[in-house]
Amino acid sequence: MHVYSRTKTFFAIVIIITLTIAPVAAQQAARQKTKIAPDAQSLMNQISANSLRGHLSFIASDLLEGRGTPSRGLDLAAEYIAAQFRRAGLEPAGDDGYFQTADWNELLKARNPNATPTTEGPTKVRNVIGILRGADPLLKDTYVLITAHYDHLGIRANLEGDKIFNGANDDGSGTVSVIELASAFAAMKTRPKRTLVFMTFFGEERGLVGSRYYGAHPIFPIEKTVANINLEHVGRTDDTEGAQVSAAAVTGFDFSEVGTLLQKAGEATGVKIFKHPVNSDRFFGASDNQALADQGVPAHTVSVAYIFPDYHKVSDHWDKVDFDNMAKINRTIAFAVLTIANNPQEPKWNEANPKAAKYVQAWKARHGK
């Protein structure tokens, strides 16, 4: 009995050690499968949960009054984003410094000739754009876009109590991720081969207006734009379908090679990048990637929670965001962007997927094929 007991105890200890080590070994195996070079690791180390928290606590504060389009709060947000691009050392790329300007009463008349102007006289609205020039002589004139929308729903004066739609997750989280990624890439000793474009759009909540304006008035040649990764709802993990920790979905996951590239980056960083069985395809046209995809650019949106309890409610506050998880998602995006930017082969649409057919045709038309 004594020998048997000791043998039984020994095997129990072995099992416990195996169960403890197995997840670590699996994670190390995943990292070895998609190796992280020192420059990529250094890039990801620049991304901080505290930095994201600091940016979002301002972008989603009451001072910005919900960042409606157009509004004083939206203008304040635009100035803040431009200031962060300036601080990082990005080059301005708009028609007015970091701003691509448009008249709001005019991306109304264009959408609906019978629309009634919302204000008297011209009202300026702005996309905010900064660039990091590529280092490769051949690839520096090609572009990877990292985008998000910085507007939200503004103020509803008829509500009782809280009237401000702060939009922390939707899409303050994407906005500050663009800022954080811009700062991280700008700090690299060796720049990526392709040029990176960091851009935040106005008017997504009014019908993808800012991204559509950019699509109609591109600052960088569409035929030289190789990919767009758009970020939306990347802060909250409390998806209505269940917690999404160390996981993110991609719209139109298998429409192009970008989904697989993001998935491989996730394997290296310990984040599950996946195709949601319904929402990945359903929401492909519901965010700002659509304007670029329509012109043939492989463009997709990354989201952690598609729908969360405070979606489009005044209670979407910054202190409900999981900043540690958000930083982890940002590191995955950074690794994927670096991979795309340094690869001489640009991502391609999936011609075998009938849902991607019109985007394939748009790409061919842009490239004269």
Side-chain angles (χ1 to χ4, degrees), residues 26-27 42 66 71 90 108 121 162 170 207 211 216 226 232 259 314 331 352:
Q27 188 178 45
S42 177
S71 72
L90 301 189
L108 286 179
D162 189 357
D170 183 14
S211 56
V226 303
E232 183 152 14
V314 294
R331 293 182 191 113

Side-chain angles (χ1 to χ4, degrees), residues 181 191 228 361:
L181 289 165
R191 290 187 174 187
N228 167 220
Q361 292 304 313

Side-chain angles (χ1 to χ4, degrees), residues 176-188:
V176 301
S177 293
V178 171
I179 292 172
E180 187 74 357
L181 289 165
S183 297
F185 274 101
M188 293 186 73

Side-chain angles (χ1 to χ4, degrees), residues 16 41 76 231:
I16 291 171
Q41 189 62 60
L76 287 172
L231 305 175

Side-chain angles (χ1 to χ4, degrees), residues 12 19 40 77 79 94 109 113 117 226 239 244 264 286 304 327 339 349 362 366:
L19 290 174
E79 292 289 348
K109 289 180 182 178
V226 303
D239 191 290
Q244 298 294 324
K264 288 181 178 178
V304 173
T339 301
W349 290 105
R366 279 288 179 181

Side-chain angles (χ1 to χ4, degrees), residues 328-351:
K328 196 171 187 179
I329 299 300
N330 272 244
R331 293 182 191 113
T332 304
I333 300 299
F335 189 35
V337 168
L338 184 63
T339 301
I340 294 170
N342 283 340
N343 192 339
Q345 300 297 318
E346 61 187 72
K348 298 292 192 300
W349 290 105
N350 180 8
E351 296 194 39

